[in-house]
């Protein structure tokens, strides 16, 4: 027995109308939208048949896909070639295949479309061949432009390196001049009076020059002049961080414990308990502030006799008996006979 239901790829529904479904208003409107959407992409791609467009490779462009409604398959829109991307090359190749031509013919026949529109969704072999010929010239021009750009960048890098080496050499020359001037001025300082120190010879000059990172272009040249004598005290640089610094993985100074103080055992930042309390407050914040019991203080202690407990839910009998039993327990019970006698004497 044949299945009365048939599935429509355009409307994405099962129907029992048969061939009449192709003429329904819903199917026609949906088909018009699909053809307009897919036809605009194909028209944009066909503009690149004679003038191929090549752009730099990127993950976003290489991941763009197009859904072919005639073949019901997903097609890559662009083609990646080494370090470049050929725009709309994948879609043009798909439109030129024989399988796509068969599917287009079947699609137009099932949806009762005019045959004159078929050419808008196909690419002939001659057009594809002309695209490939134009693509060769476009790739050659693109490679030449890339080479010229690389050469310009290389020239800029070389110019920067030359300026950096010139600066370093000039600093070395200035450093040598300063050291020579210090050495020449050293003996003249020794003819001063002997009031400096206990020795009669005066000051003994010793010059020490330290250069750091001369090979690096942006490094600083540091000079230190140190003078030794019997009556002078040397004040130099001290290693205040023997264990290293922040860049070598040592503990920062602001996290170290002071002398005589215990080390900090509390973890830095919020704990898991603080996080749970924060989540609890966030949940309460979303509730209605005017709800019943919103302002109830659950931490307060109340007297157990704040509410009479003569309900006796699990007792059998009348409620009055439960009340009398409660009054007997609390000592506020008065016999019923006395009450009856009091009322009878009144009347």
């Amino acid at each position: 027995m044949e299945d009365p239901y048939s599935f429509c790829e355009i409307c994405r529904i099962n129907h029992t109308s048969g061939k009449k479904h192709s003429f329904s208003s819903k199917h026609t409107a949906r088909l018009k939208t699909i053809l307009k959407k897919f036809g605009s992409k194909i028209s944009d791609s066909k503009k690149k048949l004679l003038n191929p467009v090549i752009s730099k490779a990127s993950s976003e462009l290489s991941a763009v896909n197009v859904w072919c409604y005639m073949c019901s398959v997903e097609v890559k829109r662009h083609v990646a070639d080494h370090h470049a991307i050929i725009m709309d090359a994948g879609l043009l190749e798909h439109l030129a295949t024989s399988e796509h031509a068969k599917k287009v013919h079947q699609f137009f026949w099932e949806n009762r479309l005019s045959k004159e529109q078929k050419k808008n969704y196909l690419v002939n072999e001659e057009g594809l061949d002309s695209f490939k010929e134009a693509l060769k010239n476009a790739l050659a021009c693109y490679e030449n432009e890339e080479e010229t750009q690389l050469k310009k960048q290389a020239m800029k890098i070389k110019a920067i390196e030359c300026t950096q080496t010139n600066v370093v050499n000039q600093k070395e020359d200035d450093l040598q001049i300063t050291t020579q001037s210090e050495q020449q001025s050293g003996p003249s300082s020794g003819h001063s009076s002997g009031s400096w120190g206990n020795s009669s010879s005066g000051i003994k000059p010793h010059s020490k020059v330290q250069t750091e990172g001369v090979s690096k272009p942006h490094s600083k040249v540091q000079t230190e002049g140190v003078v030794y004598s019997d009556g002078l005290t040397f004040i130099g640089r001290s290693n205040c961080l023997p264990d290293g610094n922040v860049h070598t993985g040592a503990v920062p100074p602001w996290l170290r414990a002071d002398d005589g103080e215990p080390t900090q055992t509390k973890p830095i930042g919020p704990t898991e308990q603080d996080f749970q309390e924060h989540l609890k407050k966030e949940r309460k914040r979303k509730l209605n502030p005017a709800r019943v019991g919103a302002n109830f203080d659950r931490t307060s202690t109340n007297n157990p006799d704040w509410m009479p407990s003569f309900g006796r839910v699990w007792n059998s009998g009348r409620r009055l008996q439960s009340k009398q039993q409660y009054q007997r327990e609390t000592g506020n019970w008065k016999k019923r006979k006395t009450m009856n006698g009091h009322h009878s004497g009144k009347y």
Side-chain angles (χ1 to χ4, degrees):
M1 182 178 179
E2 294 183 358
D3 189 5
Y5 291 94
S6 57
F7 182 74
C8 178
E9 291 286 346
I10 305 299
C11 303
R12 308 295 296 174
I13 58 172
N14 291 318
H15 61 88
T16 57
S17 301
K19 296 181 180 180
K20 295 180 181 179
H21 176 75
S22 301
F23 301 98
S24 62
S25 59
K26 183 178 179 181
H27 179 85
T28 306
R30 177 67 177 167
L31 183 63
K32 185 178 180 180
T33 304
I34 288 174
L35 292 177
K36 183 178 180 181
K37 181 180 178 181
F38 190 51
S40 63
K41 295 179 181 179
I42 294 176
S43 62
D44 292 340
S45 300
K46 285 185 175 181
K47 292 178 182 178
K48 301 180 179 65
L49 283 173
L50 299 177
N51 297 318
V53 179
I54 301 172
S55 63
K56 291 184 179 180
S58 63
S59 58
E60 296 179 356
L61 290 176
S62 59
V64 175
N65 296 326
V66 178
W67 180 260
C68 181
Y69 293 94
M70 284 74 174
C71 304
S72 298
V73 293
E74 200 171 32
V75 182
K76 277 189 171 292
R77 184 164 186 173
H78 312 300
V79 175
D81 183 24
H82 299 291
H83 300 290
I85 289 182
I86 306 170
M87 304 298 291
D88 294 330
L91 181 58
L92 291 174
E93 288 181 357
H94 175 74
L95 297 176
T97 57
S98 59
E99 295 179 359
H100 177 75
K102 293 179 182 178
K103 293 291 183 179
V104 168
H105 178 72
Q106 183 180 357
F107 182 84
F108 273 69
W109 181 78
E110 290 177 353
N111 294 283
R112 305 299 188 273
L113 297 173
S114 62
K115 297 180 181 180
E116 296 178 356
Q117 299 180 3
K118 279 186 182 181
K119 60 182 180 180
N120 297 330
Y121 302 93
L122 295 173
V123 174
N124 52 17
E125 296 181 357
E126 295 178 357
L128 187 63
D129 293 338
S130 62
F131 173 74
K132 291 180 179 179
E133 291 293 332
L135 182 61
K136 293 179 181 179
N137 299 329
L139 284 172
C141 295
Y142 179 79
E143 291 176 356
N144 293 332
E145 290 178 359
E146 288 292 322
E147 288 181 359
T148 53
Q149 291 293 333
L150 290 174
K151 288 179 180 179
K152 289 180 180 179
Q153 292 179 1
M155 293 296 292
K156 289 181 180 180
I157 293 170
K158 286 182 180 180
I160 293 171
E161 289 179 352
C162 290
T163 54
Q164 290 174 353
T165 52
N166 292 333
V167 171
V168 173
N169 293 332
Q170 186 177 0
K171 288 184 178 181
E172 290 179 353
D173 296 339
D174 296 341
L175 183 60
Q176 291 177 0
I177 293 171
T178 53
T179 53
Q180 290 176 3
S181 61
E182 288 178 359
Q183 291 176 359
Q184 291 176 1
S185 62
S188 62
S189 62
H191 296 286
S192 61
S193 62
S195 61
W196 298 87
N198 297 326
S199 63
S200 60
S201 61
I203 300 174
K204 299 178 182 179
H206 297 276
S207 62
K208 180 182 178 182
V209 179
Q210 180 182 359
T211 61
E212 294 180 4
V214 178
S215 60
K216 296 181 180 179
H218 296 287
S219 63
K220 296 182 179 179
V221 179
Q222 182 180 3
T223 62
E224 295 180 358
V226 182
V227 179
Y228 297 93
S229 179
D230 296 335
L232 297 178
T233 303
F234 171 71
I235 301 176
R237 300 184 180 218
S238 61
N239 294 326
C240 58
L241 297 175
D243 298 335
N245 53 20
V246 181
H247 303 287
T248 59
V251 181
W254 55 87
L255 294 180
R256 296 180 182 177
D258 297 335
D259 296 337
E261 294 184 0
T263 57
Q264 186 179 6
T265 58
K266 185 179 178 181
I268 300 174
T271 60
E272 185 178 359
Q273 184 178 2
D274 298 338
F275 179 67
Q276 295 296 335
E277 291 178 358
H278 172 71
L279 293 179
K280 188 176 180 181
K281 290 180 180 179
E282 288 293 326
R283 286 194 295 269
K284 285 186 177 181
R285 188 173 60 84
K286 297 178 181 179
L287 298 176
N288 185 10
R291 69 187 185 279
V292 177
N295 299 325
F296 181 72
D297 187 8
R298 302 181 185 277
T299 60
S300 62
T301 57
N302 298 319
N303 190 1
D305 297 334
W306 71 277
M307 182 177 179
S309 59
F310 53 83
R312 312 292 176 178
V313 178
W314 306 109
N315 290 8
S316 60
R318 295 180 300 169
R319 186 178 291 273
L320 180 61
Q321 294 176 354
S322 301
K323 181 178 180 181
Q324 292 173 358
Q325 183 181 357
Y326 170 74
Q327 290 176 351
R328 289 192 193 97
E329 292 176 356
T330 56
N332 296 326
W333 166 252
K334 293 182 180 180
K335 293 184 179 180
R336 192 177 183 81
K337 292 182 179 180
T338 305
M339 296 294 294
N340 293 335
H342 177 73
H343 290 299
S344 61
K346 184 177 180 181
Y347 296 108

